[in-house]
Amino acid sequence: MDVQKQIETTEAGLNRLARNLWWTWNQDAQDIFEELSPRAWRYLYHNAVAVLRELSDEELRVRLLDEEFNGRVKSVLQQFDGYLNATDTWAATNAAGLAKRPVAYFSAEFGFHETLPIAAGGLGMLAGDHAKSASDLGLGFVGISLFYREGYFQQAINSDNWQTEYYSQLDPANLPLEPVLDDEGQPIVCEVEIAAEPVQFRVWVVNVGRCPVYLIDANLPTNQPHFRDLTQRVYGGDNSTRIMQEILLGVGGVRLLRRLGIEPSVFHMNEGHAAFLAPELMRERIEAGVSFPDALAEVKRQCLFTTHTPVPAGHDRFSRELMDYAARHFYDQLKVDAKDLLALGRVNPDDENEEFCMTVLALKAARAANGVSELHGAVSREMWWSLYPEGTVDDVPIGHVTNGIHLAGWTKGPVRKFWRRKLGQVEPGADLSEELAKPEFWARAEDPVFVSDEELWALRYRLRRELIEFARRRLQDQEHRSEASDFIAFDHLLNPDALTIGFARRFATYKRAPLIFDQYENLVRMVRDLRQPVQFIFAGKAHPRDDEGKRLIQKIIHLSKHSELNGHLVFLENYDVHVARQMVSGCDIWLNNPRRPLEASGTSGMKTTAHGCLNMSILDGWWREGYDGTNGFAIGGDAHPENVEEQDRVDSENLYKVLSSEVLPCFYDRDENGIPRAWIGKIRRAMATLAAEYDTTRMVREYTQKFYLSE
Ligand SMILES: *Cc1c(COP(=O)(O)O)cnc(C)c1O
C-alpha cells in the first residue's frame, strides 16, 4: 500500500474511533485526540468528534506523516479493532446464547460522557456504565433511550444565589452519534400512537464499544409540533409530557427492535419509565389471537425490572384522565376494557380511584425484579408487599443487585497511567479496563512493594491540586458571569494542603446537602483551627421544578459567600460528568448523608476509590455493604429514628462527631516525613475491598447470571 492510501485508512480509522465511546475509557485513544489539538480538546469539552472536525484534511494528513504519532494512532486502532472483534470474551464462555438474542435494556436516560448530556443523574449514569461493562464483557446487549435534543439543563446561579436553567441544542453531527439507516441509505422511520394519533420517530445510534444504544428522536417535520418536542428535554414538561415520552420509549423501543430485526431474549426495564414496553409486547400476541391473560403471562417470561427509588413520590403515577387521553389506544389495541388495562397499574385492581403506577405495571409484567442494594431490596419488598398479600414480606419477589460504576471510564487519565505502572502486569499496549475490574489487581494496592505510602501521598497531593486549580478556574468564570464587583484572589482560593471534603449529587431534599451546616458553630471553630485546615466543595443541580432543592443550593452558596465559612466553602456550578470526575478524584473525603433508607444505592462514592478518596457516609445504599470498619468512615450506625427531624438532628451530630474525632485526627496524624500512614492504610484498604467489587463488571455478571440467563 502506498503512503497516501495508508494515511487515508488511518484517517478513516480515527473517524470511526471518535464515533465509538470506547475511546472514553481507553487512555491511549484519549491522548491522541487531546494531542491533535490541546486547546480544542479543552474548549470543546473533550469531544473527539468535534476535535477531529477542527482539523482540516490537510492538517490531519500532515500530522499523520509524523511516524511516531502515526505509529501510536495505528497501535490504538489495532487495540480498538482487537476489542471489537474479540472472540474470547467472558460472555462467549458464560452467556453465548445472548449473542444472537441480546438483552434489550430500556432506560429513559443514559449517561456516557460530558459531551452527550442526556442524563439527569445517577439512574442515567448507571445505565451508561451498564452498557460499557456489557461491552467489555462481550455481552449481547442493546440499549434503548430517547435523544433529547436539548439534553438535561445547564445550571447557572443568579445574583440571588438562585439556580436558573438554560439549554443548548445538541448537534448530532458533532456528537458520537450516527443516524440509523435503512437498506436504501435513508433514515429509518417508525411510528407509535400517542393520544390516538400517529407519531413518527427516527433513530440515532451511540456505539458503546461493542454495544449499540439506540436513541429515539421525535423531532420530525411530519409530526405535529407538540409531538416533535416530546424528545426535547430530559424529564421536561409536565405529567402529560412524561407519559408521552414513556410511550415513545416503551412502545417505540419495541417497534424499533422489530424493525431492526433484533429479537431480544429479555427486555430489561431500568426503572418504571420503560414499562409501556409490556402492553406493546402484549399487543403483538393479542393480535395473533392470544388472550389477554395468556399474553401477560407470556410477556412476563421475557421481562425484567430494576426499581431505583424507595421515595414514594419517585414513582410515576398517571391519572385516569391522562391515561384515557394519552394511552387510550392501548384499550383498543389490546382488545380489553379500560378497567382491565388500568388494573395492570394498580395495586388494587378494583379501586377506580387508584392512579396508574408505572412501577406496579413493571412489577406485574416482569418475571423478576430487583432493587439496587441489599437494603434497598428489603425496603422495596416492604414497600410493595401489598401487591403480593398472599405471602410474608420475605416472599415478595424483589431481590437485589448492588450497583457499580464502570471503573475504567471513571478513573482520571493520569491515575489510569499511575495504576498501569504500579499494579499493572500487562504489556504497555494491552487493555487496562479488564485489569481494573479484577480483585487481584486491587489486592496489590495493599502491598507497599507495588506502591509506597510516599507515592500514594504524592498522588493525593497531585489530584487535590488538580481539583483546586479546576475549582479556581470555574469559580473565576462563575464570578465573571455574575458581574459581581467583589475582588477575589482566585489564585489563592482553597488550600492545597487542607483536608478537602466533597459533596456533589442531585439536590433532592432527601440527600440533605446542607446537613453539615446544622453544626454551624462547631464548623466555624473547626475551620478556624489553622493547624488542621479543612475545606468543603459542593456541587449539584436541583430539578427545574424543585424549589425546595433550589433553596438548599441557595443556602450553601450564601454560606460560602457571607458567613464565617467564607474561604473554606465553595459551590461549583453546573455539576456534570466532568465536574464529577474532578471532584471524586481530588477530594480526600466524599460526604454522603441521605435520610436513610432513601438512597437506594448511590454511586458517586464508588468513583472515589481508585483515586484514593475515602467515603464518609450514612450506612445507606451501597455503603451499608461496602463499609467494613477499615476502608472509610461511617456516620452513625444501623439504627435510625423514624421521626424525620429527630433523624436529621442525630445524623448531623454524628456527622460532626466522626469528622472531628476520627477523620481529622487520622488525616493530620503525620510521621516525621509528614506522611499520614494510618490514613494511607485506609486508602489501601478501600482499594482492596471496594474497587473491583463496585465495578459494573461484577454487576453486569451478576445480572447475567441471576436474571438474564435464568427463566
Ligand atoms: C455518579 C453521578 C451521579 C450519581 O451520584 P449519587 O451519589 O448516586 O447521587 C449523579 N450525577 C453525576 C453527574 C454523576 O457522575
Side-chain angles (χ1 to χ4, degrees):
M1 232 184 347
D2 63 33
V3 175
Q4 198 51 42
K5 270 263 158 51
Q6 276 189 28
I7 286 192
E8 276 170 25
T9 313
T10 313
E11 279 177 6
L14 267 181
N15 273 303
R16 233 170 6 100
L17 183 65
R19 285 182 172 72
N20 188 315
L21 291 173
W22 177 80
W23 71 258
T24 64
W25 70 96
N26 182 285
Q27 193 54 42
D28 300 327
Q30 206 166 302
D31 287 347
I32 283 169
F33 292 116
E34 179 169 5
E35 199 173 321
L36 281 173
S37 173
R39 191 173 140 70
W41 174 255
R42 191 139 150 200
Y43 76 71
L44 294 169
Y45 218 39
H46 325 119
N47 181 336
V49 174
V51 165
L52 271 187
R53 286 168 57 119
E54 281 290 290
L55 272 62
S56 68
D57 293 348
E58 180 66 6
E59 179 176 358
L60 187 58
R61 194 181 62 80
V62 174
R63 294 290 293 273
L64 288 170
L65 288 175
D66 173 342
E67 269 182 39
E68 190 274 338
F69 184 66
N70 191 309
R72 273 192 294 132
V73 173
K74 274 199 189 136
S75 136
V76 165
L77 290 175
Q78 246 169 25
Q79 264 190 70
F80 179 46
D81 287 328
Y83 178 89
L84 292 183
N85 301 321
T87 50
D88 58 344
T89 63
W90 177 84
T93 319
N94 295 280
L98 298 177
K100 281 219 174 61
R101 300 198 54 196
V103 176
Y105 183 94
F106 285 58
S107 179
E109 37 172 319
F110 269 94
F112 296 114
H113 187 254
E114 52 266 36
T115 54
L116 192 55
I118 55 170
L123 177 74
M125 295 303 151
L126 178 80
D129 284 357
H130 193 126
K132 290 174 187 176
S133 283
S135 167
D136 286 345
L137 290 167
L139 199 69
F141 177 97
V142 300
I144 303 282
S145 192
L146 304 182
F147 177 55
Y148 304 98
R149 201 161 279 258
E150 295 187 355
Y152 196 53
F153 73 90
Q154 318 241 41
Q155 177 191 55
I157 305 295
N158 72 14
S159 52
D160 296 325
N161 300 329
W162 192 252
Q163 167 183 301
T164 58
E165 298 91 29
Y166 65 101
Y167 294 85
S168 31
Q169 290 270 334
L170 299 174
D171 175 5
N174 258 338
L175 292 170
L177 295 177
E178 287 169 3
V180 178
L181 307 175
D182 63 17
D183 293 341
E184 269 97 60
Q186 295 303 310
I188 68 161
V189 175
C190 303
E191 192 171 289
V192 296
E193 298 74 37
I194 296 177
E197 305 238 22
V199 177
Q200 300 188 318
F201 62 87
R202 62 177 300 185
V203 187
W204 304 91
V205 61
V206 191
N207 297 305
V208 185
R210 293 183 262 244
C211 299
V213 174
Y214 296 102
L215 304 181
I216 290 171
D217 180 358
N219 185 15
L220 286 178
T222 47
N223 286 336
Q224 299 176 43
H226 58 285
F227 290 138
R228 230 176 280 167
D229 288 345
L230 277 182
T231 48
Q232 189 178 22
R233 295 173 179 179
V234 185
Y235 306 136
D238 54 13
N239 236 16
S240 156
T241 309
R242 179 66 80 101
I243 191 172
M244 295 184 186
Q245 286 187 333
E246 294 183 358
I247 293 172
L248 207 48
L249 175 67
V251 179
V254 172
R255 295 204 182 152
L256 169 66
L257 290 165
R258 300 303 186 220
R259 175 68 182 274
L260 295 172
I262 297 171
E263 187 53 57
S265 55
V266 293
F267 293 83
H268 187 165
M269 299 174 262
N270 188 41
E271 195 49 294
H273 309 135
F276 284 137
L277 65 82
E280 171 63 7
L281 291 172
M282 288 172 69
R283 178 193 66 78
E284 295 177 332
R285 287 163 175 81
I286 288 168
E287 281 185 359
V290 178
S291 72
F292 184 87
D294 288 350
L296 179 60
E298 284 180 25
V299 165
K300 205 170 156 122
R301 281 201 286 276
Q302 277 206 293
C303 293
L304 302 170
F305 172 50
T306 301
T307 176
H308 287 266
T309 176
V311 186
H315 299 266
D316 278 329
R317 287 189 170 81
F318 301 126
S319 68
R320 170 75 200 251
E321 292 69 36
L322 192 52
M323 287 297 288
D324 281 350
Y325 166 62
R328 65 176 176 271
H329 53 282
F330 281 141
Y331 311 150
D332 289 340
Q333 291 178 347
L334 278 73
K335 303 187 169 74
V336 283
D337 291 341
K339 186 174 169 302
D340 292 329
L341 189 107
L342 294 172
L344 291 176
R346 288 178 175 153
V347 175
N348 176 2
D350 299 322
D351 181 356
E352 290 278 330
N353 294 320
E354 192 180 323
E355 291 194 313
F356 187 91
C357 175
M358 294 297 278
T359 309
V360 174
L361 172 62
L363 286 168
K364 289 189 178 181
R367 72 174 185 229
N370 70 285
V372 290
S373 69
E374 189 184 2
L375 180 61
H376 179 231
V379 169
S380 300
R381 286 192 287 281
E382 190 79 45
M383 190 164 183
W384 297 109
W385 189 8
S386 52
L387 259 182
Y388 312 89
E390 55 288 347
T392 69
V393 66
D394 295 328
D395 298 326
V396 173
I398 303 178
H400 78 274
V401 175
T402 304
N403 282 166
I405 55 141
H406 184 255
L407 200 54
W410 279 108
T411 305
K412 233 183 155 186
V415 181
R416 291 179 193 163
K417 290 179 184 169
F418 179 84
W419 291 124
R420 179 193 283 280
R421 279 200 312 277
K422 296 298 165 196
L423 309 184
Q425 299 194 331
V426 290
E427 298 95 63
D431 193 1
L432 191 69
S433 63
E434 251 177 69
E435 290 294 296
L436 289 178
K438 290 182 182 161
E440 314 83 273
F441 181 91
W442 291 105
R444 287 178 219 134
E446 279 210 274
D447 187 344
V449 166
F450 291 101
V451 57
S452 68
D453 283 359
E454 284 74 9
E455 287 166 322
L456 276 170
W457 193 230
L459 177 72
R460 286 304 316 145
Y461 253 91
R462 173 177 177 181
L463 294 174
R464 195 184 309 116
R465 169 162 289 280
E466 284 176 9
L467 168 63
I468 287 171
E469 294 185 353
F470 171 79
R472 287 172 178 165
R473 274 201 309 278
R474 279 276 176 138
L475 289 162
Q476 190 159 14
D477 291 348
Q478 281 171 218
E479 211 57 34
H480 195 66
R481 273 203 313 277
S482 77
E483 294 169 0
S485 54
D486 307 343
F487 173 79
I488 301 171
F490 288 98
D491 288 345
H492 298 280
L493 212 61
L494 298 172
N495 175 359
D497 294 315
L499 173 74
T500 304
I501 299 175
F503 181 105
R505 44 183 59 82
R506 286 184 306 117
F507 268 55
T509 37
Y510 77 84
K511 294 182 186 249
R512 298 188 296 189
L515 185 72
I516 194 169
F517 305 112
D518 289 359
Q519 298 289 319
Y520 182 73
E521 300 299 326
N522 282 330
L523 275 191
V524 169
R525 222 172 313 122
M526 185 183 275
V527 301
R528 285 210 177 128
D529 182 351
L530 299 180
R531 292 162 309 162
Q532 302 195 340
V534 186
Q535 59 199 3
F536 300 89
I537 303 184
F538 277 72
K541 294 174 176 177
H543 188 279
R545 285 193 305 279
D546 179 12
D547 280 354
E548 199 53 46
K550 292 184 189 182
R551 258 190 288 282
L552 302 184
I553 293 176
Q554 186 178 42
K555 174 173 179 178
I556 292 172
I557 300 179
H558 181 82
L559 284 170
S560 77
K561 291 180 176 166
H562 305 291
S563 80
E564 286 156 292
L565 298 173
N566 174 276
H568 306 278
L569 165 65
V570 298
F571 182 91
L572 302 181
E573 285 176 15
N574 212 20
Y575 181 54
D576 68 358
V577 173
H578 182 54
V579 177
R581 192 177 289 109
Q582 301 300 320
M583 287 186 64
V584 296
S585 56
C587 291
D588 298 289
I589 282 287
W590 196 250
L591 173 62
N592 188 24
N593 44 233
R595 210 170 266 149
R596 184 175 145 150
L598 298 185
E599 188 67 273
S601 167
T603 52
S604 58
M606 303 172 185
K607 302 166 189 167
T608 65
T609 309
H611 302 99
C613 162
L614 295 172
N615 280 277
M616 171 170 76
S617 169
I618 299 273
L619 291 178
D620 196 9
W622 80 285
W623 192 236
R624 193 177 145 275
E625 294 155 54
Y627 177 64
D628 73 355
T630 67
N631 55 4
F633 302 92
I635 303 169
D638 248 339
H640 62 285
E642 284 295 325
N643 175 291
V644 167
E645 286 82 40
E646 180 66 5
Q647 198 184 343
D648 291 355
R649 193 182 57 74
V650 171
D651 287 345
S652 86
E653 282 170 7
N654 282 334
L655 170 48
Y656 177 73
K657 202 159 75 191
V658 181
L659 187 54
S660 57
S661 65
E662 294 181 43
V663 175
L664 271 170
C666 185
F667 187 82
Y668 285 108
D669 175 16
R670 307 292 168 90
D671 73 358
E672 65 281 7
N673 294 321
I675 311 261
R677 304 282 170 190
W679 185 267
I680 291 173
K682 282 187 188 293
I683 290 178
R684 292 183 190 276
R685 285 290 300 154
M687 286 170 179
T689 57
L690 304 172
E693 180 61 21
Y694 295 98
D695 187 304
T696 31
T697 305
R698 186 271 308 152
M699 182 191 84
V700 173
R701 281 184 185 159
E702 209 174 315
Y703 272 109
T704 305
Q705 283 160 338
K706 269 195 188 165
F707 295 120
Y708 295 159
L709 292 176
S710 66
E711 281 222 18

